[in-house]
Amino acid sequence: MKSYFSTSYKQNENGYIEILLQIIKMMNINASTREVNDFLFEVGVNLGAKHAVKNVDSLSGLHLEINDILTKMGFGVCQIEDADNRVIIKHHDLPVIDDGDFKNKWLQYFSVIMCGLYNSWFRQTGAPVELVCTIKEIIAPADAVFEFKRIK
């Protein structure tokens, strides 16, 4: 019996996704969409602070650093492109859920968390507060496109 409890095993991220899904569903019922989005954006910002990027001196270096963190978190990967007056972030393989009725809202809400993460990481590299991460497009079942640009 003792060996059962002392055996190491890899935890399954799906359990954490289920917990997060239930929290977000309850928030969706009990708060406005704006309140939920504001809260989840801050969750992303806090995750970005906890999983900070290392000091990088180029966009390609930041891209590699971010993908390393995303992979460790089980949040997929991204491509980052400089597009003149903005940065385009193409994110692939966001966590998916089996709940057919909530899939679209889940992807939207999880994308808000990712905006907070990206916002935090770009701030850590010295990006000015006038530049903000926004959701440009959500591509079901597990991709999203973000823009990091000046909001007027």
Side-chain angles (χ1 to χ4, degrees), residues 8-150:
S8 70
Y9 63 93
K10 182 171 176 12
Q11 293 179 350
N12 185 339
E13 293 103 18
N14 290 334
Y16 297 109
I17 296 297
E18 281 298 314
I19 291 169
L20 181 58
L21 173 61
Q22 293 309 312
I23 291 169
I24 290 175
K25 279 182 162 184
M26 292 175 69
M27 290 172 59
N28 187 60
I29 292 168
N30 293 300
S32 71
T33 300
R34 181 181 176 101
E35 291 170 321
V36 175
N37 284 338
D38 289 348
F39 177 79
L40 293 175
F41 187 88
E42 282 303 311
V43 167
V45 168
N46 291 338
L47 279 172
K50 180 171 175 48
H51 300 278
V53 293
K54 295 176 185 159
N55 197 6
V56 293
D57 58 357
S58 68
L59 190 59
S60 62
L62 179 62
H63 175 213
L64 293 173
E65 178 69 17
I66 285 174
N67 273 329
D68 186 47
I69 296 168
L70 289 172
T71 300
K72 288 176 185 170
M73 295 175 76
F75 286 0
V77 295
C78 72
Q79 296 171 280
I80 300 178
E81 303 168 3
D82 185 0
D84 295 323
N85 62 348
R86 66 192 189 284
V87 173
I88 303 292
I89 305 162
K90 295 177 180 175
H91 194 104
H92 307 284
D93 298 325
L94 290 166
V96 294
I97 61 168
D98 293 329
D99 187 332
D101 293 336
F102 203 74
K103 277 185 179 184
N104 290 338
K105 280 192 181 268
W106 164 261
L107 193 52
Q108 172 68 34
Y109 285 142
F110 206 89
S111 294
V112 172
I113 294 171
M114 296 309 301
C115 265
L117 261 172
Y118 287 123
N119 216 58
S120 178
W121 288 331
F122 276 87
R123 290 280 177 281
Q124 292 168 25
T125 65
V129 294
E130 295 85 24
L131 300 177
V132 177
C133 181
T134 58
I135 300 168
K136 181 177 180 184
E137 182 180 9
I138 294 177
I139 307 160
D143 294 351
V145 179
F146 304 95
E147 284 185 316
F148 193 74
K149 65 180 184 178
R150 188 175 309 277

